[in-house]
Amino acid sequence: MTQHVSPPRDGTGKAAPPVQVPAWRGWTARADVRTLSLLGVLAALVVIGGITKPDEFLDTRNVQLVLTQASVIGVVTVGMTFVITSGGIDLSVGAIVALASVWATTLATQDYGFGGILLTSVLVGLGCGLVNGLLIAYGGMVPFIATLAMLASARGLALQITDGKTQIVTVDGILDLGERDAYVLGVPPLVLVFALVTVIGWLVLNRTTFGRRTVAVGGNAEAARLAGIDVRRQRLYLYLLSGLCCGIAAFLLIVLSGSGQNTNGNLYELDAIAAAIIGGTLLSGGRGTITGSVLGVLIFTTITNIFALNNLQSDVQQIAKGAIIVAAVLVQRRTARTT
């Protein structure tokens, strides 16, 4: 015998309206699944590293090295996440890092000491970001073309400044930051800077009007304009932010290597874009996650470290990264069709 259940009714005897679940709850649930998946991949890599090279991989110094290497590209990835979330792209981040690092390590700049190197790195990054932003936001150029032009120009200028030579840093304050005596409770200063940038980036993207405008512009620029958002100004700010992150990353790289080279930041654009993508940031814009991007950076850095410890060829490493990127994009497309 079939039992019929009457729909719930309110105090007037009328059927109560169906309960609707807010859309953001569904998105949050999917974001949690992605985060857990990335944590699972990272945990699997740690297990693999521990099995293949237990003494070297699990050593405290190696863990510090992995986190330090992740810090430089991680700061760049935070800026890239904002740009991609807005529907843009920045192919020039690696070249900007190179230009900022060599400009900040010239003999003339080193005469101004620690502050001169830091300020120059940041200002060069901001300057390049300003040019990108003006060309894209107010010049009407496609982000791919504008940042590709910046990539070529910045690399050329970096080569011209160095004449192909490595510029050695002689400022004690910079060199001291790379020593173990500068570690705070066993944590390298570069990692602390990366953590600070990550926290600030997360707060800005998820808890401020600037972050909401970034998502809105990436989701539908025309609708954002009609809603009263100055889309061009927002895009300008985003490329300035990306340039700022590149300047900070250049300074971290100077501390890490103790030098400036025109080859610095090679393929950083690939690593930053890939980390953001596998972290869950949509290439088409409208959705971005700082947490996912950071996990993506840690995954790629851990893969590189495992390959290096096992003396595997770098070409195999690049193939593995490419496969991960393809898999992440396919998962994104499948998720988009089912939501």
Side-chain angles (χ1 to χ4, degrees):
M1 182 175 180
T2 304
Q3 182 178 6
H4 296 280
V5 180
S6 301
R9 298 178 179 276
D10 56 17
T12 62
K14 297 180 181 179
V19 178
Q20 295 183 351
V21 180
W24 63 267
R25 289 188 178 178
W27 185 89
T28 302
R30 292 192 296 274
D32 290 341
V33 171
R34 282 193 297 272
T35 301
L36 291 175
S37 300
L38 291 171
L39 287 173
V41 172
L42 185 59
L45 289 173
V46 171
V47 172
I48 293 172
I51 292 175
T52 56
K53 291 289 183 179
D55 296 333
E56 295 91 341
F57 182 78
L58 299 177
D59 183 71
T60 302
R61 290 179 179 269
N62 186 63
V63 174
Q64 292 172 335
L65 174 62
V66 171
L67 293 176
T68 300
Q69 292 175 337
S71 299
V72 180
I73 184 62
V75 172
V76 174
T77 303
V78 170
M80 181 69 79
T81 301
F82 277 89
V83 172
I84 296 179
T85 301
S86 71
I89 198 73
D90 191 347
L91 301 179
S92 64
V93 291
I96 295 175
V97 169
L99 178 59
S101 68
V102 300
W103 205 324
T105 53
T106 60
L107 293 177
T109 305
Q110 291 193 51
D111 287 341
Y112 292 95
F114 184 100
I117 293 177
L118 174 58
L119 182 62
T120 301
S121 299
V122 172
L123 289 179
V124 171
L126 283 172
C128 293
L130 177 63
V131 173
N132 280 336
L134 291 174
L135 290 175
I136 294 168
Y138 294 95
M141 291 187 68
V142 177
F144 182 91
I145 299 300
T147 57
L148 184 62
M150 176 59 72
L151 183 156
S153 301
R155 282 289 178 194
L157 185 55
L159 178 59
Q160 187 178 54
I161 291 175
T162 61
D163 195 24
K165 300 175 183 177
T166 300
Q167 298 178 162
I168 304 299
V169 176
T170 58
V171 179
D172 292 335
I174 297 293
L175 300 176
D176 291 343
L177 282 179
E179 299 295 331
R180 297 188 63 83
D181 292 341
Y183 289 11
V184 180
L185 299 177
V187 181
L190 274 67
V191 179
L192 296 176
V193 174
F194 175 36
L196 179 62
V197 171
T198 298
V199 171
I200 294 175
W202 187 91
L203 290 173
V204 171
L205 184 60
N206 296 281
R207 294 291 185 268
T208 67
T209 302
F210 183 88
R212 289 191 291 271
R213 288 175 177 172
T214 300
V215 174
V217 170
N220 190 321
E222 181 60 21
R225 186 187 67 81
L226 294 175
I229 297 175
D230 191 331
V231 175
R232 293 191 298 179
R233 185 173 60 186
Q234 184 70 17
R235 285 174 174 161
L236 174 61
Y237 288 162
L238 288 166
Y239 281 96
L240 277 172
L241 176 60
S242 179
L244 173 62
C245 289
C246 290
I248 296 174
F251 178 76
L252 298 183
L253 191 56
I254 292 171
V255 173
L256 181 62
S257 63
S259 64
Q261 305 177 54
N262 65 285
T263 56
N264 282 343
N266 187 36
L267 295 181
Y268 272 21
E269 55 276 356
L270 169 64
D271 290 340
I273 294 171
I277 292 173
I278 71 170
T281 300
L282 285 181
L283 266 176
S284 56
R287 188 182 74 201
T289 163
I290 298 295
T291 302
S293 295
V294 170
L295 289 174
V297 169
L298 293 176
I299 288 173
F300 277 132
T301 308
T302 304
I303 290 175
T304 301
N305 184 256
I306 292 174
F307 272 65
L309 291 177
N310 287 277
N311 296 319
L312 297 176
Q313 298 295 327
S314 60
D315 53 352
V316 180
Q317 174 186 327
Q318 297 301 327
I319 293 173
K321 285 185 177 181
I324 292 174
I325 296 171
V326 172
V329 173
L330 290 177
V331 170
Q332 281 192 0
R333 293 186 63 182
R334 181 179 179 84
T335 302
R337 288 196 300 265
T338 57
T339 56

